[in-house]
Amino acid sequence: MASGPDSLEGTSIDNLTRVRLTRLDKVMYPAGRITKGDVLMYYIRVAPLLLPFLRSRPLTLHRFPDGVEGEDFFEKDAPPGTPDFVDIFTRFSDTAGRDVHFILCNNLDTLIWIANLASLEIHTTLSTAGSFESPDLLLFDLDPEPPLQFDDVIDIAQIVREHLEDAGLQPYVKTSGKKGVHIVVPLVPGYRFREAREFVHGIGREIARTTPHAVSEFPRSRDPGTIFIDYLQNVHGKTMAAPYSLRATAGASVSAPLRWEELRHGARPEDFNIKTMLSRHEEPWRGIIETRQRL
């Protein structure tokens, strides 16, 4: 990927957005000399795949003003100076004791504005603003504890897939962008988070009874040599890295939607990064929002 603002100037970006772009030559990922301009170009190019998923979904931004080696912070509230073209969803938070003004990324300008804020990572809720109390996504979050590695996560992910398919469900898979895997099932309207959580927990318990290394209970989630089938993300207000979101890793890895056939031994999370993702010519999650299913 070309570095610096010149790669953006070639796209006539000023004619595409109302965002005033800043510090495009700022290095965000020092190991790969990847600049803020490169990050913006990445998000512009994946926008046709990312925006349909983000639509109407409250976001949490993970911002890195000085790049991945600098200080970072999470931001749920729309910051001061948020432009008028950014849609906002306001909800009272019991935890914060006040209204939270969530950002909704419903257009390209908003996505560019988010990237221009140096929000390298974009995290999204498992429900939309219109049905905030009702999840439309079911999430299995799988991470290995050393000395287990990504191949071991792949083995457990394929077992989860088998259980879901045996239950008549069509699961979708993506890398987390770091060390694990996310398995997602889109849901028909009307479920509560408790129902989603109990379903994922039930599958986890069943797998843990017969599968080495797999654990289903939180007290064992950090045991060495285990993979926790994390059901606790299926809670109101919890988030996951959005598909196609960059991650704050040295190699600018991406939370990459995959075909199940791609999730095989030898694959590595770092294989899917800001450079390689732009050379892919498929959308493994095409139609996910329309493929709503009953548990």
Side-chain angles (χ1 to χ4, degrees), residues 15 39 43 60 105 141 173 182 209 235 241 251 254 267 273 294:
N15 297 324
V39 169
Y43 275 120
T60 296
C105 187
D141 187 1
V173 68
H182 293 161
R209 280 196 293 267
V235 173
V254 170
N273 57 61
R294 296 184 181 278

Side-chain angles (χ1 to χ4, degrees), residues 175-206:
T175 65
S176 70
K178 291 193 172 178
K179 62 179 183 176
V181 162
H182 293 161
I183 299 171
V184 173
V185 177
L187 299 175
V188 299
Y191 286 105
R192 311 302 291 178
F193 277 96
R194 175 185 54 79
E195 296 173 291
R197 186 167 61 255
E198 289 175 354
F199 181 86
V200 174
H201 195 191
I203 295 285
R205 285 197 300 263
E206 188 174 344

Side-chain angles (χ1 to χ4, degrees), residues 70-275:
E71 294 185 3
D72 63 288
F73 61 94
F74 288 92
E75 189 166 53
K76 287 190 175 183
D77 247 327
T82 297
D84 291 341
F85 56 72
V86 177
D87 292 330
I88 301 297
F89 170 65
T90 299
R91 191 77 172 189
F92 184 82
S93 167
D94 292 330
T95 304
R98 59 174 178 81
D99 284 340
V100 175
H101 306 285
F102 292 97
I103 294 164
L104 303 179
C105 187
N106 291 340
N107 53 62
L108 179 60
D109 277 333
T110 300
L111 182 59
I112 294 171
W113 173 74
I114 287 170
N116 193 58
L117 289 175
S119 179
L120 302 180
E121 299 187 352
I122 302 173
H123 297 258
T124 177
T125 56
L126 303 180
S127 60
T128 63
S131 300
F132 197 50
E133 307 290 341
S134 179
D136 67 341
L137 298 172
L138 187 82
L139 174 63
F140 292 78
D141 187 1
L142 310 178
D143 283 317
E145 292 299 321
L148 298 188
Q149 299 181 353
F150 196 64
D151 280 348
D152 301 295
V153 178
I154 290 171
D155 291 337
I156 301 298
Q158 293 291 355
I159 293 170
V160 172
R161 175 195 183 187
E162 291 171 5
H163 277 71
L164 292 171
E165 290 180 344
D166 287 346
L169 297 170
Q170 178 184 344
Y172 294 78
V173 68
K174 67 182 179 73
T175 65
S176 70
K178 291 193 172 178
K179 62 179 183 176
V181 162
H182 293 161
I183 299 171
V184 173
V185 177
L187 299 175
V188 299
Y191 286 105
R192 311 302 291 178
F193 277 96
R194 175 185 54 79
E195 296 173 291
R197 186 167 61 255
E198 289 175 354
F199 181 86
V200 174
H201 195 191
I203 295 285
R205 285 197 300 263
E206 188 174 344
I207 292 172
R209 280 196 293 267
T210 59
T211 306
H213 309 307
V215 297
S216 62
E217 305 306 325
F218 179 73
R220 294 199 58 199
S221 63
R222 297 295 186 182
D223 287 2
T226 63
I227 295 170
F228 177 41
I229 303 175
D230 190 351
Y231 63 96
L232 296 172
Q233 296 303 106
N234 295 276
V235 173
H236 181 263
K238 290 277 191 176
T239 63
M240 72 172 181
Y244 299 102
S245 172
L246 292 169
R247 302 307 305 269
T249 60
S253 58
V254 170
S255 185
L258 302 178
R259 291 180 291 106
W260 278 102
E261 293 73 23
E262 295 180 276
L263 196 68
R264 57 182 180 269
H265 281 195
R268 293 292 178 264
E270 57 268 24
D271 295 341
F272 308 97
N273 57 61
I274 193 171
K275 298 179 181 179

Side-chain angles (χ1 to χ4, degrees), residues 30-71:
R33 300 295 298 173
I34 295 167
T35 66
K36 188 175 172 184
D38 295 326
V39 169
L40 279 155
M41 175 58 75
Y42 169 78
Y43 275 120
I44 290 167
R45 291 182 63 182
V46 299
L49 306 176
L50 177 55
L51 283 174
F53 185 87
L54 293 183
R55 177 167 295 279
S56 296
R57 236 172 251 287
L59 302 183
T60 296
L61 308 185
H62 194 179
R63 296 177 59 181
F64 296 80
D66 294 310
V68 295
E69 295 183 358
E71 294 185 3

